Amino acid sequence: MEGIPLMGSDPDSDVDMVVGNPPVVTPRIPRKTSHVWKQFDKVTEKNDDGTIMKQPNGKDVMKAVCKICSEKLVFGGRSGTSHLSRHATSCLKRTTSDVGQTIIGRTPTGGIYSFTFSQVRARRETVRYFIREELPFNKVEKPAFRRWIQKSFGPQFKPPGRLTLRADIFLILEEEKAVLKDLLRSVPGKICLTSDLWTSNQKLGYMCITAHFICTDWKLHKRVISFPMLPCPHTGKIISDAIYANLLGWNISDKIGTLTLDNASNNDVCVSRLKDQLFGHDMLSRELFHLRCNAHITNLLVKDGLKHVESSLENIRESVRHVKYSPSKLQKFFETCQSLNMKEKRLPIDIQTRWNSTYLMLEATIPYQKVFDLFFYDSDFAYKPDLVDWQNAIVIKEFFEIFYVSTKSFSCSNSVTSSTFFFQLSKIVLILKRVENVPSFKPLYDSIKWKYDKYWKDVPMLLGLASCMDPCFKFTALELCLDFNYDYDSQSQPESQSPSVSNENPWLLPYKTKLNELFEVYLQKMSSGVTGMNETSSNAPQEEDMVLAMLSKRREAAIKKCKSELQRYAYDWGALITGKMDVIG
């Protein structure tokens, strides 16, 4: 029986029981560790109060945390590690930029493009979307947003949390600031600033500073370089210190050309201090530094004028309000429009704080005069407009149309507007002259003319020089406006026989002198460039046709007197451009 195993012994047992022999013990083979643990860490799960979470048997609850995406997964017991291996593989695919399925598609124009998903790019574009749309950070954690991301882009894209989103936004801010700082330093010419104060609904004061400049690509750029909160009181010293500190931060204090502000008295102190800080004894730069906002001045002119015509607009305003008062009245108004073959339209009503809303209300309402007459035919409505009200409304609308168009022109930020200032100003003068002798508009004319003389009779030097450099107008637009302002008719003056005596407007001489000074500085610092133009046609109103005719007549008379190169530029137009023109394009 020697060497024969006992019955019932386990042949797979580590111990062989043999009769007559001592037991033989073989060493146990250690369990192999899965390779997935190179991608995971074992952590103890904790409760909300910080205590360790326990299993029913009293052992600690353990989780496997992915080293790449920090996702927690269960392990141990019956769970095994297969699911951990699958997650490690898929997680690596999502975070490796060169691994993924390439998608071929077509552009709207028919071209072919390829796309490979990138978690980094998708996350960055999500952050930029939140920036552009000014969305709250917590929206990224809303269930509806998460569901939209999951159903639209699949599980491969994991959007950031709100804290990560906030941190990414600050990183992008620093990146964009560095790019913008390099761009501002590369500007070959001067940088023009506009600034204004703004009060939030929390009664906090803010100041916006915007930089306008022409880069080496001859394109006009606009960038908001600062929007700081400005503590009270908003004195000229506090405003100037805030602006100067921002210029130093961007390292562009030596590249500033002009600053445009509104007409608040504290801005005068601000400008005076900034001149000392930026230019010292450079008298030419100091003189051309400050500009008053022409859109703001136009707003002051129109608001003063509207006070004298409010009675003529009251019936029309109340009629529009009556129509919009209830759905039944609005439905009746639409039915009246249909009976007269007029387009159904919800007419706007003006807002007291925005004068252009009054113009837009009249522009939309006047074509519906017959609709209102039929609507109120058998009504005892107290504010029913009569024929006189409509006639006055037409005149008021035509009068303020020039101011509305001029405001849009002055406020444009996508093209150069300073050179067209005198063309717009000449149209304003002509419309004022049309109502100068109309008795019913005499109070309106006096009010607007007083404000006009206060701000625009002495034409800003910088705008005069800008007009002279515009190939459309050159000296003639400036001269025409000065003739209007000072009631001087240079075209009717007798031709002088002496070369030392000129028959041109004497108010034009300071602008020519200053232009010569600027031209000398230009010759020293800059080389001449080439500009192009894009000509388009437009339907010009009556005042615009009159201004263009006057400019053409002045060009023919002035071109005979050219002597120097600067004079030949100023008066040798070639052809009058009646449409829009990009003076830098």
Side-chain angles (χ1 to χ4, degrees):
M1 298 296 292
E2 185 176 323
I4 300 176
L6 294 177
M7 295 182 61
S9 64
D10 187 357
D12 296 329
S13 174
D14 294 336
V15 181
D16 291 335
M17 299 297 295
V18 181
V19 177
N21 292 330
V24 178
V25 179
T26 59
R28 181 183 296 273
I29 300 175
R31 177 179 292 181
K32 294 182 179 180
T33 302
S34 174
H35 64 87
V36 300
W37 292 110
K38 295 179 180 179
Q39 307 294 335
F40 289 88
D41 291 325
K42 298 178 182 179
V43 298
T44 304
E45 190 73 355
K46 294 184 178 181
N47 297 307
D48 294 338
D49 58 359
T51 58
I52 297 177
M53 190 178 296
K54 297 290 184 179
Q55 298 182 18
N57 58 8
K59 294 183 178 180
D60 296 344
V61 176
M62 304 293 292
K63 288 290 180 72
V65 180
C66 178
K67 295 181 179 180
I68 299 175
C69 66
S70 301
E71 184 174 349
K72 293 182 179 181
L73 301 173
V74 297
F75 75 94
R78 297 181 180 179
S79 300
T81 58
S82 298
H83 66 295
L84 300 182
S85 179
R86 289 193 298 269
H87 175 85
T89 303
S90 61
C91 187
L92 283 173
K93 286 183 178 180
R94 288 201 303 269
T95 56
T96 303
S97 59
D98 59 347
V99 178
Q101 184 178 3
T102 300
I103 301 174
I104 304 298
R106 286 189 177 273
T107 64
T109 58
I112 298 177
Y113 72 93
S114 62
F115 172 80
T116 303
F117 176 80
S118 169
Q119 172 72 15
V120 176
R121 182 174 61 242
R123 173 171 157 179
R124 188 175 184 86
E125 290 303 317
T126 301
V127 174
R128 288 188 176 275
Y129 169 74
F130 271 74
I131 294 173
R132 292 190 186 100
E133 299 300 324
E134 301 180 357
L135 300 176
F137 296 163
N138 62 354
K139 182 177 180 178
V140 77
E141 297 180 347
K142 297 289 186 181
F145 182 82
R146 293 282 177 171
R147 175 182 172 81
W148 172 61
I149 291 294
Q150 182 182 11
K151 297 297 183 181
S152 301
F153 305 102
Q156 59 185 1
F157 174 47
K158 289 195 171 185
R162 60 184 180 87
L163 296 180
T164 304
L165 180 69
R166 179 179 181 273
D168 286 354
I169 287 177
F170 278 101
L171 289 176
I172 291 178
L173 172 64
E174 295 303 321
E175 294 174 5
E176 294 296 334
K177 283 180 67 176
V179 173
L180 180 55
K181 183 175 290 188
D182 293 339
L183 178 63
L184 292 174
R185 289 303 308 171
S186 67
V187 173
K190 295 292 186 178
I191 298 174
C192 299
L193 303 177
T194 57
S195 180
D196 198 7
L197 297 182
W198 173 75
T199 302
S200 68
N201 54 6
Q202 290 90 9
K203 306 302 179 183
L204 299 176
Y206 292 87
M207 179 176 65
C208 181
I209 305 175
T210 307
H212 308 260
F213 54 92
I214 299 174
C215 211
T216 52
D217 58 359
W218 282 98
K219 299 295 183 181
L220 180 64
H221 296 262
K222 181 187 76 170
R223 299 288 190 277
V224 176
I225 62 174
S226 184
F227 203 105
M229 188 172 70
L230 201 65
C232 291
H234 297 159
T235 62
K237 181 180 183 302
I238 291 179
I239 296 175
S240 64
D241 290 345
I243 294 177
Y244 188 63
N246 276 280
L247 298 182
L248 292 178
W250 288 100
N251 194 23
I252 56 173
S253 58
D254 59 331
K255 302 180 74 69
I256 301 303
T258 66
L259 174 64
T260 302
L261 302 168
D262 60 23
N263 301 303
S265 57
N266 53 356
N267 286 333
D268 295 334
V269 178
C270 167
V271 169
S272 178
R273 290 175 56 86
L274 285 175
K275 286 180 180 180
D276 295 335
Q277 293 169 320
L278 296 174
F279 307 118
H281 300 289
D282 185 351
M283 300 309 298
L284 182 61
S285 297
R286 293 175 68 97
E287 185 175 356
L288 303 180
F289 175 60
H290 180 216
L291 275 178
R292 298 184 185 275
C293 178
N294 290 310
H296 181 72
I297 295 175
T298 305
N299 182 56
L300 296 178
L301 266 65
V302 176
K303 280 190 173 181
D304 279 3
L306 279 175
K307 296 176 182 178
H308 302 284
V309 295
E310 281 295 324
S311 58
S312 300
L313 303 177
E314 183 178 7
N315 288 344
I316 293 180
R317 180 185 294 111
E318 293 301 324
S319 297
V320 175
R321 182 177 285 112
H322 178 77
V323 167
K324 297 166 66 73
Y325 181 74
S326 66
S328 60
K329 291 183 173 60
L330 187 60
Q331 181 62 33
K332 180 183 176 182
F333 181 79
F334 288 161
E335 293 173 355
T336 307
C337 292
Q338 294 176 357
S339 65
L340 295 176
N341 295 323
M342 295 286 291
K343 181 181 178 181
E344 297 180 8
K345 186 176 182 179
R346 295 177 181 270
L347 301 177
I349 192 167
D350 62 344
I351 305 172
Q352 291 184 353
T353 56
R354 297 178 58 190
W355 73 265
N356 59 324
S357 64
T358 302
Y359 166 77
L360 294 175
M361 179 188 71
L362 295 177
E363 182 184 42
T365 305
I366 289 175
Y368 288 82
Q369 175 183 350
K370 293 183 179 180
V371 177
F372 277 97
D373 291 341
L374 183 59
F375 182 87
F376 291 116
Y377 179 74
D378 56 352
S379 172
D380 57 352
F381 182 60
Y383 295 96
K384 181 167 57 176
D386 55 19
L387 182 60
V388 176
D389 292 328
W390 289 112
Q391 290 175 345
N392 289 338
I394 292 173
V395 176
I396 294 171
K397 180 256 180 184
E398 293 177 350
F399 179 83
F400 286 111
E401 182 178 8
I402 298 297
F403 292 91
Y404 177 75
V405 173
S406 298
T407 299
K408 291 183 65 177
S409 175
F410 297 154
S411 304
C412 180
S413 60
N414 298 323
S415 61
V416 177
T417 60
S418 55
S419 58
T420 62
F421 169 75
F422 290 100
F423 183 67
Q424 298 295 334
L425 198 62
S426 299
K427 292 191 290 183
I428 291 177
V429 174
L430 285 179
I431 196 67
L432 286 174
K433 288 184 176 296
R434 281 180 54 186
V435 301
E436 181 179 5
N437 298 319
V438 179
S440 58
F441 281 85
K442 184 64 175 175
L444 177 144
Y445 170 81
D446 291 339
S447 178
I448 294 182
K449 188 63 168 63
W450 185 85
K451 270 287 198 312
Y452 177 94
D453 290 342
K454 178 181 178 181
Y455 292 111
W456 282 337
K457 186 170 184 177
D458 294 329
V459 178
M461 177 62 69
L462 182 60
L463 294 178
L465 299 180
S467 178
C468 297
M469 296 178 184
D470 192 330
C472 291
F473 310 113
K474 302 186 179 180
F475 275 118
T476 52
L478 172 61
E479 186 177 16
L480 176 62
C481 195
L482 291 174
D483 285 358
F484 283 151
N485 284 0
Y486 296 100
D487 295 325
Y488 183 89
D489 190 358
S490 58
Q491 297 302 300
S492 64
Q493 300 298 317
E495 186 70 25
S496 173
Q497 301 299 322
S498 173
S500 60
V501 179
S502 174
N503 66 325
E504 67 181 9
N505 191 326
W507 302 101
L508 189 62
L509 181 60
Y511 298 91
K512 289 192 172 184
T513 303
K514 194 60 62 177
L515 183 62
N516 282 316
E517 293 182 25
L518 194 62
F519 186 64
E520 292 298 326
V521 174
Y522 172 79
L523 289 178
Q524 296 174 7
K525 295 183 178 180
M526 305 287 290
S527 59
S528 60
V530 179
T531 60
M533 64 184 68
N534 297 320
E535 183 174 347
T536 58
S537 60
S538 61
N539 296 323
Q542 179 181 0
E543 287 73 22
E544 185 167 333
D545 289 338
M546 294 174 63
V547 170
L548 290 172
M550 294 177 181
L551 292 176
S552 180
K553 183 178 179 181
R554 288 168 179 269
R555 181 197 66 172
E556 296 173 359
I559 199 172
K560 302 176 183 179
K561 307 173 184 178
C562 300
K563 297 178 181 179
S564 67
E565 179 183 354
L566 183 60
Q567 289 178 341
R568 284 194 298 273
Y569 162 79
Y571 291 108
D572 187 10
W573 293 5
L576 184 65
I577 300 172
T578 58
K580 294 181 180 179
M581 172 182 172
D582 184 0
V583 296
I584 64 173

